[in-house]
Amino acid sequence: MGEDIILCQREIRRLRCVVRTYEAQLREMESYLGQMAENPLFGDEARQVAREIFRTWKRILEE
């Protein structure tokens, strides 16, 4: 029984790490999309596409 608890604790720690990594990647993606949407080096069409992707990304995160 004690070994099962230890294995569960290890798995919980591993999953927490996975979740933290995933959340960090989500924040990085959101930041990147926001920067693309406002980047003056891109043309109007590219910025518009980036804005659309950014809005879609925000809706996905809200669901």
Side-chain angles (χ1 to χ4, degrees):
M1 184 76 149
E3 188 175 321
D4 289 340
I5 291 173
I6 292 170
L7 290 174
C8 286
Q9 289 172 336
R10 285 183 187 158
E11 186 63 11
I12 289 169
R13 281 194 298 272
R14 187 189 72 78
L15 290 173
R16 283 181 180 155
C17 181
V18 168
V19 168
R20 283 192 300 269
T21 301
Y22 177 72
E23 289 173 337
Q25 289 173 341
L26 289 177
R27 287 189 300 273
E28 187 177 331
M29 177 64 80
E30 183 178 353
S31 174
Y32 179 71
L33 288 171
Q35 290 172 15
M36 285 181 59
E38 301 304 322
N39 190 333
L41 298 176
F42 290 158
D44 291 337
E45 186 176 348
R47 281 197 311 268
Q48 181 60 33
V49 169
R51 284 186 194 110
E52 289 175 23
I53 294 169
F54 184 70
R55 283 192 294 268
T56 301
W57 182 255
K58 293 293 261 182
R59 278 197 309 266
I60 290 170
L61 292 178
E62 290 172 359
E63 293 178 1

